Amino acid sequence: MELTPNDERSLRGEHGETIASAYRILVAIGTATEAKKLVPIKWAHLSGVNYNTIGNAGVKFLEEFAEDGTTRVAVKTTVNPMGFDRTKPNNLDENFVKQQMKIVKLYEGLGTSPSFTCTPYEIFDIPQRGTAVSFAESSAAIYSNSMLGLLTNKESSLSALASSVTGKAPYSELRVEEFRHPKVAIKPELKLLTELDFGLFGYFTGKVVKDSCVALDGIRKSKPDIMKTKSLSAAIGTSGTCGMFTSSEEEPTKEVIPFDKTEFNAVRDELSTAEDGNIIILGSPQIGINELSLVVDLAKDKKFSKHCMVFCSRAIFNQASQIGLAGKIERAGCEFMCDSCACLTPLINKDDVDSIITNSVKAAYYMKLFNRTGVALKDLKTIVRDYTN
Amino acid sequence: MSLQVNCRKIVGGYGRGKALVTRQPINFLAMLDTKVGTITDQDHELFGQSVKNVILVFPNAIGSSVGAYAIYSLRVNGVAPTAIVCTNKADITTASGCAISSIPVVDMLEKTLSCMLSSQMNISVDADNGILAVI
């Protein structure tokens, strides 16, 4: 990868150790993705905010990264959810809270926006199509490439951080037009009806596709709503390396892989390990206004019979409060958890619950492998039908 | 005489040790206990095995972007692999996590060797010169 003389100086440490380590990351990922050069980006979105995921090593890294006290982000930078809702009591130990708040301060010190969201595309103004960005948080990267026409690779926490402080990212893979065309298509041989169906379809897709872009048969024609495309994007990001989907109608491919009842059942059985659960968790990716409206419509005047946690960004919660939606959700017996996400939350563990109920394939995956609880996967309509009265 | 092949340097450095080989990708955030370095996913073929001080040979990382921090955690906790060989193409998570953890990474081996590698083989990875050797 070719670097400008100024980039070379940065890499050698002439602009401080923080910028040098950012450049070391950019050079490594630029080499891995065969980039010819670095290009400017307009927006970085960082993951690696939740203490539950980055732990003490993450805190140590960020402390060292921010040590000079002068490094600031060079472009608009938003951040992923943290571990809990600061406005609510929680059962977390003192150390967790202390370390989490340290992380929050370190990111704020770098000049990032305290967005604590995994769905920045639902909150912030979207740049015009074709704009290069750098999004960690795989679900946001895939959604932004596929639905919004932004240009990002499926970045890591560290590569997006490196791009945020340098304002640059490798010109490679999904930032280059020729890589944004699929070689393989996945064709559903059954009707995808619910957001859960789209999630299971996405999880299968991520597993079998090795390229950075895939065609999904019928995806534009069926006009899936945002709940479905969020679910799809998050699931693709969970199981693989693919960073973008397009549609077979627009871009036919030679190779077509079927997704039939057998494949559907196999991924469902892998992730849905329980028939029922102790609590319901909604919001992975964090819930949006339209999903909240749907919950209100479906629940009507009924109340949830099990504890239902709704994970949400602060911005969406405030919006929902203004239009009276949040109150309706709370009156139905749900509890909002802002600034955090259902997936990788420290608030739920196997000591307290055997199994959780969710409509999110991504949450199911991490609950099973990381939080180690059982999972009952059901779509939102079924959840509201089965657990309200 | 050792068997040598060319490979591509992603993160420089040199490492030598026993190989731990899998054909399955790894989600570093979800499948590993970064405190002790063992693979905790029961469905993974490396379940129960440790990545500490081995040459980890695997296709590429999948899933979470936070996997990069998980790799760094392995380093801080003293249980990191000595070097990493990606038999597919090194991905952004692996490359960035190893870049700040000073774990040498190579990829793009010749296909034949990539198939021949198996756990317990003694391997050296000279990332700076792009050479992998079975000793």
Side-chain angles (χ1 to χ4, degrees), chain B residues 6-109:
Chain B
N6 295 325
C7 51
R8 189 174 69 138
K9 164 190 153 185
I10 303 296
V11 177
Y14 177 88
R16 186 181 166 139
K18 283 224 182 323
L20 181 67
V21 181
T22 176
R23 310 290 167 211
Q24 295 176 343
I26 295 175
N27 182 329
F28 281 99
L29 178 65
M31 295 177 179
L32 255 106
D33 180 341
T34 55
K35 286 199 178 72
V36 291
T38 51
I39 307 274
T40 53
D41 177 8
Q42 296 182 14
D43 296 328
H44 200 280
E45 61 185 18
L46 294 184
F47 174 61
Q49 305 220 49
S50 172
V51 299
K52 182 181 175 180
N53 297 340
V54 302
I55 310 287
L56 179 61
V57 182
F58 77 118
N60 55 270
I62 52 163
S64 177
S65 58
V66 188
Y69 275 112
I71 293 171
Y72 183 68
S73 297
L74 293 171
R75 159 63 73 218
V76 171
N77 295 331
V79 294
T82 308
I84 284 184
V85 179
C86 290
T87 50
N88 189 5
K89 250 186 84 182
D91 57 277
I92 290 174
T93 295
T94 305
S96 59
C98 291
I100 59 143
S101 309
S102 303
I103 301 171
V105 180
V106 297
D107 72 353
M108 290 194 176
L109 308 183

Side-chain angles (χ1 to χ4, degrees), chain A residues 212-243:
Chain A
S212 44
C213 182
V214 64
L216 302 178
D217 197 81
I219 198 71
R220 300 271 187 245
K221 211 165 58 192
S222 69
K223 294 198 171 59
D225 59 24
I226 188 168
M227 189 162 118
K228 289 173 179 153
T229 47
K230 275 167 76 178
S231 173
L232 175 68
S233 302
I236 294 175
T238 301
S239 59
T241 54
C242 180

Side-chain angles (χ1 to χ4, degrees), chain A residues 164-363:
Chain A
S164 76
V165 295
T166 59
K168 295 177 181 187
Y171 185 60
S172 58
E173 294 190 348
L174 294 172
R175 288 196 188 90
V176 182
E177 171 56 28
E178 64 175 283
F179 288 91
R180 296 173 66 89
H181 301 284
K183 290 192 217 96
V184 179
I186 313 288
K187 186 172 196 283
E189 302 284 357
L190 69 179
K191 236 183 156 55
L192 304 174
L193 297 170
T194 68
E195 78 286 357
L196 175 57
D197 294 347
F198 276 81
L200 293 168
F201 178 52
Y203 187 76
F204 173 79
T205 299
K207 264 192 172 187
V208 297
V209 173
K210 305 291 172 234
D211 307 323
S212 44
C213 182
V214 64
L216 302 178
D217 197 81
I219 198 71
R220 300 271 187 245
K221 211 165 58 192
S222 69
K223 294 198 171 59
D225 59 24
I226 188 168
M227 189 162 118
K228 289 173 179 153
T229 47
K230 275 167 76 178
S231 173
L232 175 68
S233 302
I236 294 175
T238 301
S239 59
T241 54
C242 180
M244 177 180 175
F245 62 83
T246 173
S247 76
S248 300
E249 303 96 292
E250 290 156 24
E251 304 200 63
T253 59
K254 267 191 208 147
E255 190 184 348
V256 178
I257 300 170
F259 176 72
D260 211 339
K261 199 77 196 154
T262 319
E263 290 81 22
F264 180 92
N265 288 343
V267 286
R268 189 200 50 205
D269 293 348
E270 178 191 331
L271 296 168
S272 191
T273 54
E275 289 288 310
D276 201 353
N278 312 92
I279 58 167
I280 301 160
I281 60 175
L282 302 177
S284 176
Q286 287 174 328
I287 211 159
I289 290 290
N290 57 328
E291 292 158 272
L292 289 173
S293 310
L294 183 62
V295 174
V296 167
D297 286 348
L298 291 169
K300 283 199 188 85
D301 298 321
K302 294 187 277 190
K303 261 188 175 328
F304 276 88
S305 57
K306 287 186 194 245
H307 186 199
C308 177
M309 293 163 93
V310 178
F311 289 85
C312 191
S313 65
R314 182 78 52 197
I316 293 289
F317 174 76
N318 290 341
Q319 215 179 315
S321 299
Q322 278 167 16
I323 55 175
L325 256 183
K328 286 178 189 164
I329 293 279
E330 284 172 332
R331 282 193 290 282
C334 301
E335 182 186 12
F336 276 104
M337 293 290 169
C338 293
D339 299 330
S340 49
C341 185
C343 137
L344 299 157
T345 174
L347 300 170
I348 297 164
N349 64 64
K350 66 175 187 306
D351 299 333
D352 304 323
V353 294
D354 293 325
S355 296
I356 60 110
I357 301 152
T358 187
N359 63 341
S360 163
V361 161
K362 181 176 184 179

